[in-house]
Amino acid sequence: MKVIGAGVVGLAIARQLAGREGTSTVLVEKHGAVGTETSSRNSEVIHAGLYYGSDSLKTKLCIQGRHMMYDLCAKHHIPHKHTKKWVVAQDLAQWEECVKVHKFAKSIGVLTRFVSLQEGKDREPDVKADAGILESETTGIVDSHSLMSYLQGDFEDRGGDCAFHSPVTRVEPLDHGTAGYRVSTANREGGEDSFTTETLINSAGLYACAINNMILPENRHRTPYYAKGSYFSYSASHPKPSTLVYPAPSPGHAGLGTHLTIDMAGRVRFGPDVEFVDDPTDLKPNPARLSEAIVEIQKYLPGVQKEAIDLDYCGIRPKLGKASAVATGKGFLDFVIQKEEGFEGFVNLLGIESPGLTSSLAIGEMVEGLLYR
């Protein structure tokens, strides 16, 4: 079987499938290493599952994946930390959104609690939350590079192979997949290689719609949307909260706001914002985003030293539309993870954006279940 795309989700799927006896699994990747696109350009947050609605795959897989992630990281000494997260409200409308999130979290068994303003001042005196604070008690962070390095190593230990520098150029279903799939890839000599596989998993991230459109008929083609997010570094030593800080969710917005996160070294960073672009390789930071970000950051961290905030890096999220990132907003879009009718042995993963990192191990189990249960 072949898995296209060696981001964190493709790695988790390939590792899961390689654990089955009698299988041969190859992970096909266009770049020369794993996780060089979306998987290495994100906030590295282990999400709780607060925003995605009760019946969505995002909620189900995020909660399951979070438990699996913490267990895996603890067992194999992958750097991670239970940081918790504050969702902060500055006015009544934002507070009402926090109350909605709390009620929803309670209904799905995710731990959240309200933090009194006095406790908030005692714990994080630099964080502004005029109308209230909701704390997510199971949110954390993970070193995504260490995680992916472990997944690759374990995949290879299970007998899997990585085919790097192998961008897919063409996929031909043979008798609608009943005779397998002929996959062609470009090689480094300027030529083309091809192979046939009985089972094909499309986990190509930003290019998953392109793979989808190579295989399925035109009436089932998908249009990709690329949500570019800019991240901002912070070079000052103060203020420096130890808790992740998110603004209250804004229904209809394509992201979760320009939030404050921390990496495993304790460095503060801000982002991402949202800017839809036409090119999935457009990773150059846009200086115009900096002043806008500072305005948003000051709403919850008024003492931030503006001159210490600078452009850092960008990541791009694969979306299936310009829709809300939260289920209460208009046009919320769930993950697509499914076998495709009429195409035997083909599993399609589309729109695997946040919380894809958190969900990755659970997605691996789900794909295995689609194929073998």
Side-chain angles (χ1 to χ4, degrees), residues 44-47 70 81-84 138-142 244:
E44 299 185 301
V45 172
I46 301 174
H47 288 287
Y70 280 131
K81 186 176 182 181
H82 289 81
T83 57
K84 302 187 178 181
T138 57
T139 300
I141 57 175
V142 62
L244 310 188

Side-chain angles (χ1 to χ4, degrees), residues 4 171-173 181 200 202 210-217 221 343 346:
I4 300 174
V171 182
E172 180 187 355
Y181 296 85
L200 185 65
N202 175 19
I211 300 297
N212 173 92
N213 297 349
M214 291 178 188
I215 297 169
L216 300 183
H221 283 190
F343 291 82
F346 175 48

Side-chain angles (χ1 to χ4, degrees), residues 28-57:
V28 181
E29 168 56 43
K30 67 187 295 186
H31 298 292
V34 303
T36 62
E37 294 180 346
T38 306
S39 297
S40 60
R41 293 174 170 272
N42 59 71
S43 302
E44 299 185 301
V45 172
I46 301 174
H47 288 287
L50 302 178
Y51 302 115
Y52 314 113
S54 57
D55 299 321
S56 72
L57 282 178

Side-chain angles (χ1 to χ4, degrees), residues 241-289:
S242 60
T243 305
L244 310 188
V245 182
Y246 282 55
S250 177
H253 194 267
L256 296 177
T258 301
H259 43 267
L260 181 156
T261 59
I262 306 158
D263 67 14
M264 288 303 303
R267 290 184 294 259
V268 167
R269 60 187 169 195
F270 302 100
D273 58 8
V274 177
E275 175 188 6
F276 281 96
V277 295
D278 295 326
D279 181 0
T281 67
D282 178 7
L283 294 171
K284 185 178 180 180
N286 180 354
R289 310 299 291 187

Side-chain angles (χ1 to χ4, degrees), residues 52-368:
Y52 314 113
S54 57
D55 299 321
S56 72
L57 282 178
K58 286 184 176 180
T59 293
K60 174 187 173 184
L61 294 169
C62 182
I63 293 172
Q64 180 187 347
R66 168 168 49 82
H67 290 299
M68 296 173 72
M69 184 75 69
Y70 280 131
D71 288 348
L72 184 82
C73 290
K75 182 177 180 180
H76 297 285
H77 310 291
I78 298 166
H80 70 291
K81 186 176 182 181
H82 289 81
T83 57
K84 302 187 178 181
K85 177 178 90 172
W86 281 5
V87 184
V88 296
Q90 311 301 343
D91 55 36
L92 180 60
Q94 291 186 351
W95 177 244
E96 288 174 349
E97 289 301 319
C98 287
V99 172
K100 289 178 187 176
V101 171
H102 176 63
K103 288 180 178 177
F104 172 68
K106 189 174 181 180
S107 75
I108 59 172
V110 172
L111 295 175
T112 59
R113 71 180 188 95
F114 295 122
V115 174
S116 71
L117 294 182
Q118 185 58 54
E119 181 188 345
K121 289 178 182 178
D122 291 343
R123 286 174 54 189
E124 299 286 3
D126 298 305
V127 174
K128 180 174 180 281
D130 289 345
I133 302 165
L134 178 67
E135 182 172 76
S136 169
E137 299 192 66
T138 57
T139 300
I141 57 175
V142 62
D143 182 336
S144 62
H145 297 276
S146 295
L147 171 66
M148 290 188 287
S149 178
Y150 168 78
L151 292 176
Q152 179 185 356
D154 199 38
F155 165 63
E156 292 173 342
D157 287 347
R158 296 178 180 198
D161 292 308
C162 295
F164 293 120
H165 300 291
S166 300
V168 173
T169 56
R170 191 166 63 253
V171 182
E172 180 187 355
L174 305 175
D175 196 16
H176 289 273
T178 58
Y181 296 85
R182 183 178 293 116
V183 180
S184 298
T185 60
N187 60 40
R188 300 176 77 180
E189 289 72 42
E192 196 172 72
D193 299 318
S194 66
F195 54 82
T196 301
T197 180
E198 291 181 3
T199 304
L200 185 65
I201 294 96
N202 175 19
S203 183
L206 294 169
Y207 301 92
C209 287
I211 300 297
N212 173 92
N213 297 349
M214 291 178 188
I215 297 169
L216 300 183
E218 189 171 354
N219 64 346
R220 292 161 69 177
H221 283 190
R222 297 276 192 159
T223 301
Y225 292 80
Y226 306 115
K228 180 179 178 178
S230 295
Y231 290 84
F232 308 91
S233 61
Y234 189 59
S235 58
S237 60
H238 182 83
K240 198 172 185 180
S242 60
T243 305
L244 310 188
V245 182
Y246 282 55
S250 177
H253 194 267
L256 296 177
T258 301
H259 43 267
L260 181 156
T261 59
I262 306 158
D263 67 14
M264 288 303 303
R267 290 184 294 259
V268 167
R269 60 187 169 195
F270 302 100
D273 58 8
V274 177
E275 175 188 6
F276 281 96
V277 295
D278 295 326
D279 181 0
T281 67
D282 178 7
L283 294 171
K284 185 178 180 180
N286 180 354
R289 310 299 291 187
L290 180 59
S291 58
E292 298 172 16
I294 290 173
V295 170
E296 295 303 310
I297 293 163
Q298 286 180 310
K299 291 178 181 178
Y300 59 80
L301 202 67
V304 71
Q305 297 180 41
K306 293 187 292 184
E307 66 279 3
I309 303 173
D310 202 359
L311 293 165
D312 194 359
Y313 64 96
C314 295
I316 298 183
R317 286 154 279 180
K319 289 181 174 282
L320 296 175
K322 296 182 179 181
S324 174
V326 297
T328 52
K330 183 178 180 181
F332 171 75
L333 292 169
D334 201 2
F335 291 155
V336 174
I337 304 172
Q338 63 192 22
K339 295 176 75 174
E340 292 290 354
E341 183 180 354
F343 291 82
E344 187 71 25
F346 175 48
V347 178
N348 212 3
L349 292 89
L350 304 169
I352 310 299
E353 51 162 335
S354 183
L357 172 64
T358 307
S359 305
S360 56
L361 299 173
I363 291 174
E365 283 198 352
M366 180 180 175
V367 171
E368 181 186 28

